[in-house]
Amino acid sequence: MATAQPQRIRLGLFVQPVGQHVSGWRLTEKLGDPTDIDWLITIAQKAEAGKFDLFFVGDALATSMYRLPSTMARLEPLTMLSALAVNTKRIGLAATASTTFSDPFTMARSFSSLDHISRGRAAWNVVTSFSTDVARNFSRSDMPNHAERYARAREFLEVTNKLWEGWEAGAVQPNKETGEYFVNDKIKSIDHDGEHFQVQGPLNITRSPQGRPVIIEAGSSADGQKLAAETAEVIFTAAASLEEAQTFYRSQKDQVIAAGRNPDHVVIMPGVMPIVGRTREEAKALWKELNTLVDIENGLRQLSLRFSMELSQYLLDGPVSEVPLGVGNQSRAKLMTDMAKRENLTLRELAAVAAGSRGHRVIVGTAEDIADDFELWLKEGGADGFNIMPAIMSEQLDLFVELVIPELRRRGLFRDDYEFATLRENLGLPAL
């Protein structure tokens, strides 16, 4: 009688070139440059050697003097990933791009190009912009409200999908005898006429190797969860506890079913910052050192940016006040206020969390401790995988690959090698 194969963990690498922790760059022996492509290639190749599913880069369309070094100055993601595509073979390449200040034709063409260059490894992390600073960079004084941004995003995805589907498989069939290169009835215009977009099509690039890039979303608000249930194939989220993760996981999978989709075709990956040590004492000492280096004033500024309101008016050592959720990033603001209530954090303590891990869960310990945690979350319905956020780059990535991944393999929870050529296949998603 055949035994059931153990469920496999999916792993993404959430890349900040100088480390995810705000103090991480101060403890690295070799300080990287966020705009040095050779440094980024090195990171991507380390992740590929560890057989990560994804190399993921975030993005924003505005910056300030108070942001992390990796986010204040960075390469445009699609340009960067195109360079990484020719220096890697199997790891997926995921870029964040906003639907708020772009157009579907350009986005569809750009991601299809990345999918061709990488031979089927592209993924798009679909986001809506929320900062008024972004609006001011695009000739607007204000930002569309939350509902408007999501309505635009829904139609934006509808149009990009139509454009990708406009080229059928087998549309390219060069025939030297007849002089015909394309099969014209396999290439279709889309003639989309909607509230936000009017797009004729067809897209001026052949069908993507994956049919279309893998779609990732990260919104945890009601609108964000609904859109993800309808359109996402990978969902990034943040959860501070297993109970919180299980609630989100069940809710999101139920919404996927309600949308008429297979819940096994949507991969949920919470972000986590593992502080890896060869001993627990080593890991705890590193975590303590990282936090002693946090600039609380900078952390408070980051928290204010996240909430789109000025928090310096409140007492640092007083309780965290209720924060209105109608302006900024609703899901992350709620996550942080819920955490503050649950753990009875002062504003100073929440600012340290915001500066350090930006609200994501932190696991401090050995490879065995981290593998125990991952296995529990996988088996108890809290996650399908994790988006790994190394605090120090590249020392913590190196230790994760050297220590944690072999421990996951020993338990039968992670691959020994890539099974397929495309990201969609390696994630277990259906072919298109």
Side-chain angles (χ1 to χ4, degrees):
M1 180 177 174
T3 58
Q5 292 295 315
Q7 187 178 357
R8 296 287 182 89
I9 288 175
R10 305 303 181 189
L11 291 179
L13 177 65
F14 186 175
V15 178
Q16 297 287 8
V18 298
Q20 285 280 357
H21 194 283
V22 69
S23 305
W25 65 273
R26 300 176 68 179
L27 296 180
T28 185
E29 292 184 5
K30 182 180 179 181
L31 183 58
D33 180 340
T35 56
D36 180 357
I37 193 61
D38 290 332
W39 176 246
L40 291 158
I41 289 170
T42 298
I43 295 170
Q45 291 175 338
K46 286 175 185 281
E48 188 168 60
K51 313 305 177 186
F52 276 76
D53 291 273
L54 278 170
F55 178 103
F56 164 62
V57 289
D59 193 37
L61 299 173
T63 191
S64 79
M65 297 297 292
Y66 308 115
R67 297 185 70 94
L68 291 168
S70 292
T71 59
M72 183 176 173
R74 49 187 161 189
L75 297 174
E76 190 281 316
L78 283 162
T79 307
M80 180 185 78
L81 292 183
S82 295
L84 298 187
V86 297
N87 286 280
T88 54
K89 298 294 184 183
R90 288 289 181 265
I91 192 167
L93 303 170
T96 295
S98 174
T99 59
T100 308
F101 295 106
S102 187
D103 68 89
F105 190 94
T106 300
M107 196 74 77
R109 185 188 188 197
S110 297
F111 273 97
S112 188
S113 296
L114 178 61
D115 209 45
H116 278 283
I117 294 167
S118 66
R119 293 182 171 85
R121 295 184 283 135
W124 172 21
N125 179 39
V126 181
V127 300
T128 64
S129 300
F130 63 88
S131 167
T132 54
D133 287 335
V134 174
R136 294 182 185 119
N137 284 339
F138 288 86
S139 305
R140 288 190 54 149
S141 59
D142 61 346
M143 183 66 67
N145 66 40
H146 185 84
E148 290 171 346
R149 296 199 305 273
Y150 273 92
R152 178 184 170 92
R154 180 171 278 102
E155 187 179 342
F156 197 112
L157 279 164
E158 179 186 352
V159 177
T160 54
N161 284 330
K162 285 180 179 179
L163 287 166
W164 286 321
E165 292 163 2
W167 283 77
E168 297 180 14
V172 180
Q173 295 186 26
N175 188 322
K176 291 183 179 180
E177 292 183 5
T178 65
E180 295 176 328
Y181 194 91
F182 300 106
V183 180
N184 289 340
D185 62 4
K186 290 182 179 289
I187 307 168
K188 299 178 176 64
S189 60
I190 66 169
D191 299 316
H192 178 89
D193 186 9
E195 180 182 354
H196 300 280
F197 305 108
Q198 296 76 45
V199 182
Q200 174 183 284
L203 198 62
N204 59 347
I205 186 170
T206 56
R207 181 176 176 82
S208 166
Q210 295 186 101
R212 68 166 185 249
V214 171
I215 299 298
I216 304 171
E217 292 171 37
S220 295
S221 66
D223 287 332
Q225 288 189 51
K226 186 173 187 298
L227 182 64
E230 296 167 353
T231 61
E233 296 165 294
V234 175
I235 296 174
F236 291 157
T237 185
S241 66
L242 176 57
E243 182 180 10
E244 183 181 317
Q246 289 170 320
T247 299
F248 177 86
Y249 189 95
R250 288 192 298 267
S251 171
Q252 189 67 76
K253 295 277 186 171
D254 286 346
Q255 290 185 65
V256 169
I257 295 169
R261 301 175 63 206
N262 186 337
D264 292 335
H265 296 164
V266 178
V267 180
I268 296 178
M269 300 173 66
V272 60
M273 180 180 286
I275 307 298
V276 188
R278 296 184 185 278
T279 65
R280 287 181 187 170
E281 291 71 26
E282 180 181 287
K284 289 177 180 177
L286 176 60
W287 180 234
K288 181 178 180 180
E289 186 175 8
L290 281 165
N291 288 331
T292 59
L293 295 173
V294 170
D295 178 349
I296 293 300
E297 185 177 350
N298 193 359
L300 194 61
R301 290 194 187 101
Q302 289 189 43
L303 203 59
S304 297
L305 287 170
R306 180 68 66 182
F307 289 164
S308 293
M309 66 178 294
E310 182 53 58
L311 297 176
S312 61
Q313 60 186 301
Y314 299 104
L315 292 174
L316 267 177
D317 294 308
V320 177
S321 301
E322 292 289 339
V323 177
L325 300 181
V327 180
N329 185 332
Q330 292 189 17
S331 58
R332 190 55 56 82
K334 186 175 188 306
L335 177 78
M336 289 189 169
T337 53
D338 287 349
M339 179 192 301
K341 291 178 184 177
R342 181 176 59 251
E343 301 181 16
N344 196 29
L345 300 180
T346 65
L347 184 57
R348 182 189 301 276
E349 291 167 331
L350 187 62
V353 171
S357 66
R358 298 188 304 288
H360 285 281
R361 192 166 65 101
V362 178
I363 311 172
V364 182
T366 64
E368 291 77 13
D369 294 330
I370 293 163
D372 285 346
D373 181 279
F374 284 7
E375 186 171 11
L376 178 65
W377 278 51
L378 187 72
K379 291 183 175 179
E380 295 298 322
D384 297 311
F386 300 93
N387 211 16
I388 304 302
M389 305 167 59
I392 304 171
M393 191 66 79
S394 65
E395 286 89 341
Q396 280 291 296
L397 172 60
D398 294 342
L399 282 174
F400 190 91
V401 171
E402 178 189 348
L403 302 176
V404 180
I405 285 180
E407 179 61 24
L408 293 173
R409 286 178 179 148
R410 188 184 67 78
R411 302 177 188 211
L413 296 174
F414 194 64
R415 64 166 64 91
D416 292 321
D417 202 352
Y418 294 104
E419 297 91 347
F420 304 102
T422 70
L423 172 60
R424 183 173 296 281
E425 291 174 297
N426 280 320
L427 286 172
L429 300 174
L432 298 176

